[in-house]
Amino acid sequence: MPATPDATREIAALRDQIAVPHRTDRPVLPFGVAAIDDQLCRAGLAIDAIHDVAPASSRLSDDAAATLFVGGLAARLTGVHRRRQALWVLTRSDLYAPGLEQAGLTSDRVFFAEARDDAQALALAEDGVREGALGAVVVEVRRAPMVATRRLQLAAAEGGTPVLMLRRWRRAATCPLGELSAAVTRWRIGSTPSAPLGVPGVGRARWTVDLVRQRGGEPFSLIVEACDDQGRLALPAAARDRAAAPERAVARAA
Amino acid sequence: MPRHQRPPGRELGRRSEAASHPFKGRDATDGATQVAADQSPRHALAPLVLVTTAGQRQIVTAACPAARALGLMPGMAATQARALVPGLDVRPADTEADGAAIYRLALHAVRHWTPGAAPTVDGLLLDLTGAAHLFGGEARFCRRVVAFCRRLGLTARIAVADTLGAAHAVARHASGPVTVVPLGGAAATVAPLPVAALRLTPEAIAAAARFGLDRIGDLLPMPRAPLARRLGLAAVERLDQALGRVAEPIVAIVPFEAPAAERRLLEPIGTAEAIATVIADIVRDLVDALRQRGLGARTVELVATRVDGRDERQVIGMSRATRDGAHLRRMLCQRIERIDPGLGLEVVRLIAIRAEPLAATAIASALAGGDPATDLAVTVDRLAGRIGESALFRVRPVESDVPERAVARAGVLAPGGTWPAWKRPVRLLRRPEVLTNVVALLPDHPPRRFAWRGATHAVVAGDGPERIHGEWWRRDAEIDAIRDYYRVEDEAGARFWLFRRGDGVDPATGDLSWYMHGLFG
């Protein structure tokens, strides 16, 4: 039976709806970097969802990069236009607040909760999210069962508060992103050599940003320059715009 | 003789002059030590008087029994008292502490004796109407109060009369410690007392003395108009108050009562749902009570009495005063699982142990943006209800260059601060870890390679040094200590924060060992 024009239009509208799993009028936080935003299905980080961030390896330097990535996001989520506070749920106390401040998350915008274990950390995060008064909730966990992440995802959608789940490595060989999760996006962050300066010194840090999985979109992988003091990422300058690299990299160390 | 040097009339032999009551301005502990001293004459204390400064001279306001036996009287000049008694112990009178002690006594009276009690400058007013029979009559009540005061180390003098004025006069001028004036006998009882007993102003007392009016009885037959002209209208009013012609109510003090709400249950309850329902009810009552008194609760205690008589107590604290019923209910319901109902709960009581004034506040305009801390208090309470207040904190700056000392924990609602803009790592090792196999040029180059946690890192870029001196004012060991911090990047892109002990020139500043202290992302 041939479809009437009305029915065709209706079906097309329905197809559009299911093509994007979430309503597109929900608020998002754009990264401000076209290369990232264009590849995210909602052109930014969904505010009412949870996002997994894991270090690329069990090395502490990658862990620090992932922490700064999360810190920069939290800084922008609690920034001027939202005027909210961030809750950072810790299980280990090696976070250094002056370093976070240099990613834009100043001490008057974040407060911490020290949890005994992962279960308590997740429960605290859920409490913080359900209240709906926070700008962002960061929770550092080693293990998060699927059920807990789904609860958190529901709470985040209800409270309109983003949850950034910083997953730390438990064993050297097992990536924490191997676990199932209800997160909308899952990121893997690692540190990578910075652009050589023409003079002795360390340049702006660079990270490898892998979007391992996103709901309704394709994974991608990029190298970006680390957060500035407002939490903003940037793309490395194209090769022709860079300063010429010196002959021997080791010479810069001296 | 000038007026201020003239001895008081009492010393001149005119016995009718008022003696203000002798223990005015005495501390309770003074009485106790005095009693102890009386019992052991070998360690007899020196006679004690208390003095106040009036203008340029010091006047004795109170004297201990030993001093009174030596002829020292309140009202005397302190210099005269010193001259009469060598070795006299003269101390300044502390009227504020006296007032505080009297106030405490009044609070005790309100709680235990009669609801109508008020402190005065030098005494306590009790309204015994309808309360004396609870103690077996007025006389027994007075003896009981005297005994109570004796246990405190105080000497009490009590008079019970129809009017405040009469009681005031009799208490200070009668012979015994306890006088009960019969009903309607006020006029007859106060008549032989001196005029000063009427709480008159010093000018009125002086005028009365000038006219030869020594006793209250002298005033009674006089026509009121001339009396008012000579002694002042206030004096006539005092006389009327003493005789009961003018009302003089006692303005009783009201002790603070913690707002509370209570439910007595017909049937004992034990299920979580039933307890939640009762909590919702009493929270509503408590919020009403708080609103009526303009208070907000900071600490709330839930006392649930079980059938077997045991009390189950749960205390919750709020980060700021609140009377938000939904918030209180949610926080209390978090604690239901910690209540052991046993065979059932019979009485549930909710008490705002700590309450603070909470008035209406203006909401900041939408243009200016709301105060984020107002929203935060509710969230903080909810989190604190789960892990306790001590596990919630904000990090505040401390003025110290030593990295591990630059941060301190503060309350969540405390303001934050900023650190200097020197590059700092985001992860700081709890304790610096020693590096091995370090290859570095002295005195101020970052290392070329180092080994840490079993891995060798070849450095391709480095920044530094950032020199941080020890805080010599804290420990002797830090007087010369120096750390040179370097930010380095290895060939894999990992960025570290390392330091070397010592400046590389002077051995006293450190042993040139290298440490890992933190990681940049």
Side-chain angles (χ1 to χ4, degrees):
Chain A
M1 193 180 82
T4 61
D6 274 358
T8 317
R9 214 175 299 128
E10 203 171 319
I11 289 168
L14 285 172
R15 272 194 184 129
D16 282 351
Q17 271 185 25
I18 57 169
V20 180
H22 294 277
R23 290 218 317 271
T24 44
D25 56 344
R26 295 278 185 78
V28 295
L29 178 84
F31 278 86
V33 177
I36 301 179
D37 289 338
D38 291 349
Q39 299 190 62
L40 286 169
C41 82
R42 283 167 63 182
L45 205 66
I47 289 211
D48 53 353
I50 74 174
H51 305 276
D52 274 354
V53 180
S57 72
S58 60
R59 285 178 305 175
L60 275 176
S61 55
D62 288 338
D63 183 275
T67 309
L68 272 183
F69 180 79
V70 166
L73 281 179
R76 296 187 54 225
L77 285 165
T78 57
V80 190
H81 56 292
R82 276 171 66 86
R83 277 182 179 281
R84 302 278 188 89
Q85 301 250 332
L87 165 67
W88 195 299
V89 185
L90 308 161
T91 43
R92 255 176 51 189
S93 60
D94 57 351
L95 199 64
Y96 194 51
L100 270 188
E101 188 187 64
Q102 287 167 7
L105 197 59
T106 52
S107 67
D108 54 352
R109 266 200 247 155
V110 61
F111 67 98
F112 300 91
E114 198 166 21
R116 255 194 335 268
D117 50 24
D118 287 349
Q120 196 181 41
L122 290 167
L124 278 172
E126 194 184 322
D127 275 350
V129 169
R130 281 201 193 278
E131 211 58 62
L134 295 170
V137 174
V138 180
V139 51
E140 288 182 11
V141 286
R142 287 173 183 279
R143 270 194 84 106
M146 179 68 183
V147 180
T149 60
R150 190 169 286 158
R151 274 183 71 109
L152 258 183
Q153 168 63 38
L154 289 176
E158 193 181 304
T161 309
V163 179
L164 304 170
M165 198 177 279
L166 183 57
R167 291 173 171 259
R168 307 188 78 167
W169 284 60
R170 276 184 298 142
R171 283 194 300 273
T174 329
C175 175
L177 292 186
E179 278 189 332
L180 288 177
S181 165
V184 173
T185 57
R186 312 191 78 182
W187 304 81
R188 189 182 287 143
I189 313 292
S191 50
T192 192
S194 60
L197 297 176
V199 291
V202 180
R204 183 169 173 182
R206 283 189 178 172
W207 299 334
T208 55
V209 172
D210 288 339
L211 182 64
V212 181
R213 181 178 169 275
Q214 65 167 319
R215 211 181 282 174
E218 294 295 315
F220 62 86
S221 178
L222 272 178
I223 289 185
V224 299
E225 301 218 304
C227 295
D228 62 1
D229 58 355
Q230 304 289 321
R232 289 178 301 232
L233 301 173
L235 273 191
R240 63 174 178 278
D241 300 333
R242 272 186 217 143
E247 291 302 309
R248 284 175 61 233
V250 181
R252 286 176 296 132
Chain B
M1 194 183 259
R3 188 180 168 78
H4 68 274
Q5 288 178 0
R6 216 176 289 156
R10 191 173 180 82
E11 284 176 36
L12 297 175
R14 217 163 60 220
R15 307 299 297 177
S16 62
E17 185 171 309
S20 67
H21 87 117
F23 301 110
K24 180 175 160 185
R26 275 194 52 179
D27 197 11
T29 51
D30 283 353
T33 52
Q34 194 61 48
V35 170
D38 287 348
Q39 286 162 353
S40 54
R42 282 182 303 143
H43 300 101
L45 295 173
L48 172 74
V49 294
L50 300 182
V51 297
T52 52
T53 307
Q56 288 197 333
R57 65 187 211 142
Q58 288 189 318
I59 295 173
V60 175
T61 53
C64 75
R68 288 164 66 83
L70 289 168
L72 302 184
M73 283 299 153
M76 219 178 223
T79 44
Q80 190 187 3
R82 280 185 211 270
L84 287 175
V85 181
L88 183 66
D89 190 0
V90 180
R91 297 188 195 175
D94 187 352
T95 46
E96 275 182 25
D98 290 342
I102 292 177
Y103 187 80
R104 278 202 305 279
L105 203 56
L107 276 182
H108 180 86
V110 168
R111 293 208 173 108
H112 296 93
W113 297 338
T114 164
T120 64
V121 180
D122 58 353
L124 204 57
L125 306 175
L126 303 178
D127 185 358
L128 282 186
T129 315
H133 72 277
L134 299 173
F135 301 92
E138 287 163 354
R140 281 191 66 180
F141 172 75
C142 292
R143 283 201 296 278
R144 186 175 165 156
V145 172
V146 169
F148 174 81
C149 289
R150 194 185 306 127
R151 283 201 300 279
L152 286 184
L154 302 170
T155 310
R157 293 172 64 88
I158 302 181
V160 182
D162 297 347
T163 64
L164 247 178
H168 181 273
V170 174
R172 283 161 181 77
H173 296 273
S175 51
V178 174
T179 319
V180 179
V181 178
L183 214 59
T189 317
V190 297
L193 299 180
V195 171
L198 280 180
R199 298 177 285 171
L200 301 184
T201 57
E203 295 80 32
I205 294 173
R210 208 162 55 241
F211 294 116
L213 303 169
D214 283 348
R215 303 189 174 276
I216 297 176
D218 300 341
L219 304 177
L220 295 179
M222 286 189 68
R224 291 168 64 81
L227 193 64
R229 207 166 62 233
R230 284 173 188 142
L231 302 188
L233 206 57
V236 176
E237 194 186 346
R238 285 297 193 199
L239 182 64
D240 286 347
Q241 282 174 347
L243 300 178
R245 294 178 194 148
V246 173
E248 188 185 8
I250 295 177
V251 183
I253 58 164
V254 180
F256 180 82
E257 276 182 24
E262 190 182 68
R263 278 283 186 285
R264 292 177 177 277
L265 307 168
L266 279 178
E267 290 284 332
I269 57 168
T271 62
E273 294 78 24
I275 297 174
T277 311
V278 173
I279 285 177
D281 284 352
I282 53 177
V283 162
R284 206 177 307 122
D285 290 359
L286 183 72
V287 167
D288 282 346
L290 288 170
R291 189 177 294 122
Q292 277 171 12
R293 293 167 61 172
L295 296 172
R298 279 297 301 273
T299 310
V300 172
E301 185 179 30
L302 181 77
V303 185
T305 310
R306 299 187 343 185
V307 175
D308 57 6
R310 235 184 75 189
D311 282 346
E312 290 285 325
R313 290 169 187 272
Q314 291 295 330
V315 179
I316 56 168
M318 265 68 68
S319 51
R320 67 178 60 182
T322 179
R323 48 170 185 261
D324 176 358
H327 179 47
L328 284 174
R329 194 172 62 238
R330 202 164 46 224
M331 292 190 60
L332 286 167
C333 286
Q334 273 187 348
R335 298 294 187 93
I336 289 181
E337 59 191 25
R338 300 195 204 169
I339 298 176
D340 175 15
L343 290 174
L345 304 176
E346 275 190 320
V347 183
V348 184
R349 197 172 150 76
L350 192 64
I351 310 152
I353 306 174
R354 251 176 82 207
E356 289 174 359
L358 178 65
T361 50
I363 297 173
S365 75
L367 277 178
D371 175 19
T374 344
D375 293 332
L376 203 57
V378 178
T379 313
V380 169
D381 289 349
R382 186 163 176 178
L383 296 172
R386 192 177 281 276
I387 53 167
E389 214 162 318
S390 57
L392 284 178
F393 58 95
R394 190 181 292 283
V395 178
R396 68 175 172 83
V398 176
E399 283 193 5
S400 171
D401 289 325
V402 180
E404 55 266 40
R405 289 181 190 149
V407 293
R409 291 187 176 191
V412 173
L413 298 184
T418 55
W419 285 271
W422 301 103
K423 277 285 183 190
R424 287 291 179 265
V426 71
R427 296 275 179 198
L428 191 77
L429 301 181
R430 188 171 296 171
R431 175 167 295 127
E433 293 177 14
V434 70
L435 303 179
T436 51
N437 300 334
V438 184
V439 179
L441 285 174
L442 288 179
D444 56 359
H445 288 268
R448 297 245 179 151
R449 64 170 57 240
F450 61 89
W452 175 56
R453 291 193 179 179
T456 305
H457 300 268
V459 173
V460 295
D463 249 346
E466 180 190 341
R467 180 158 295 175
I468 291 177
H469 288 264
E471 296 184 331
W472 51 264
W473 56 93
R474 284 176 183 266
R475 289 191 298 145
D476 283 348
E478 290 185 42
I479 290 176
D480 291 324
I482 282 179
R483 287 180 186 175
D484 276 354
Y485 276 91
Y486 294 89
R487 191 158 65 100
V488 301
E489 182 179 318
D490 74 358
E491 76 262 304
R495 281 162 282 271
F496 304 102
W497 207 38
L498 317 173
F499 71 86
R500 181 188 61 209
R501 283 203 172 146
D503 61 1
V505 175
D506 182 4
T509 58
D511 56 2
L512 302 185
S513 53
W514 287 84
Y515 295 86
M516 170 71 65
H517 204 179
L519 294 111
F520 297 92

